[in-house]
Amino acid sequence: MSTFQGIPTAAFRFYEELEENNNREWWLEHKSAYDAGVREPLTALLAELEPEFGPAKVFRPNRDVRFSQDKSPYKTAQGGFAARHERVGYYVQVSADGFRVSGGFFAHSPAQLARYRAAVDAPASGSELERIVDALAAAGFSIEGETLKTVPRGFDKDHPRAELLKHKSLSAALDLGQPAWLSTPGAVQEVAARWRDLQPLVEWVGEHAAP
């Protein structure tokens, strides 16, 4: 029997308060609220999605502050990731801003980036990616990722897919806010539907850029 009953509104309140109280003392005092309202529901949601999209992990709430000027100890969002390949897959996030779904590839190795650029450059695979990205944008997804300011060296600056060549990572995201269905078991079907929309992008990257 499923244990997932929805993502409660308390999850968003938790992050609203964390943004004002990002310190260890507050966290320890409210850790039970984090576990019950954020981590456990998100873990249960990902478990429900696993049969179709594969196993997923919930990220640690602690920030790595070793090389950051911002020493706030905790992330102000909770993410979960279902990896289809290294750095490639489906993502969900809870924060004070609401609920986000996305998919694509979120980081790169030099070899992945070289394969990605070669596939974008090739007429058949490049045109396929262009159609996928255009369809996602038309469906309301924002196209995101780390980009260069110019077309990478070795490619024509007037390349027909110049904007895609500039990407060092590529994902599509949908910010959903706090829809009524999110606090119900029906959130599983709603998230699955949006991940299915993202599936062509995830599969393209998996085929053409992943190891």
Side-chain angles (χ1 to χ4, degrees):
M1 181 180 294
S2 171
T3 61
F4 179 71
Q5 298 301 313
I7 305 293
T9 56
F12 307 105
R13 289 198 303 272
F14 176 86
Y15 281 106
E16 289 171 0
E17 295 178 15
L18 177 62
E19 288 183 355
E20 302 297 325
N21 302 277
N22 201 328
N23 59 75
R24 187 172 183 272
E25 292 73 22
W26 186 91
W27 179 273
L28 292 176
E29 185 179 342
H30 294 82
K31 187 176 184 301
S32 60
Y34 164 76
D35 288 336
V38 180
R39 189 173 188 86
E40 291 171 6
L42 196 59
T43 299
L45 171 63
L46 294 172
E48 288 288 311
L49 294 164
E50 180 175 339
E52 181 174 354
F53 298 97
K57 67 176 181 178
V58 175
F59 295 123
R60 296 179 63 227
N62 306 75
R63 295 181 64 245
D64 183 352
V65 300
R66 291 173 297 172
F67 308 107
S68 174
Q69 291 185 344
D70 179 4
K71 299 302 182 182
S72 302
Y74 301 103
K75 300 171 185 174
T76 55
Q78 178 64 68
F81 187 63
R84 304 301 291 166
H85 303 274
E86 185 178 0
R87 306 179 178 92
V88 178
Y90 303 93
Y91 180 75
V92 290
Q93 177 180 285
V94 174
S95 72
D97 295 328
F99 193 74
R100 161 177 272 230
V101 296
S102 64
F105 75 106
F106 297 91
H108 67 276
S109 67
Q112 281 178 311
L113 187 57
R115 286 191 292 268
Y116 167 77
R117 288 173 176 168
V120 172
D121 183 41
S125 54
S127 296
E128 180 187 6
L129 178 60
E130 193 170 36
R131 288 192 294 271
I132 290 168
V133 168
D134 288 348
L136 286 168
F141 287 83
S142 58
I143 307 304
E144 302 180 346
E146 182 184 358
T147 59
L148 300 171
K149 291 183 179 180
T150 60
V151 174
R153 187 176 303 172
F155 297 93
D156 189 337
K157 65 181 179 63
D158 297 319
H159 194 286
R161 290 174 294 282
E163 293 307 310
L164 288 173
L165 281 171
K166 292 177 185 178
H167 276 266
K168 298 178 72 176
S169 60
L170 178 65
S171 60
L174 197 59
D175 289 307
L176 296 166
Q178 299 181 38
W181 52 257
L182 190 58
S183 60
T184 74
V188 173
Q189 287 73 37
E190 296 286 349
V191 174
R194 288 155 178 87
W195 276 6
R196 290 185 198 111
D197 290 339
L198 290 159
Q199 194 167 5
L201 175 59
V202 172
E203 290 184 348
W204 188 97
V205 176
E207 178 182 353
H208 297 288

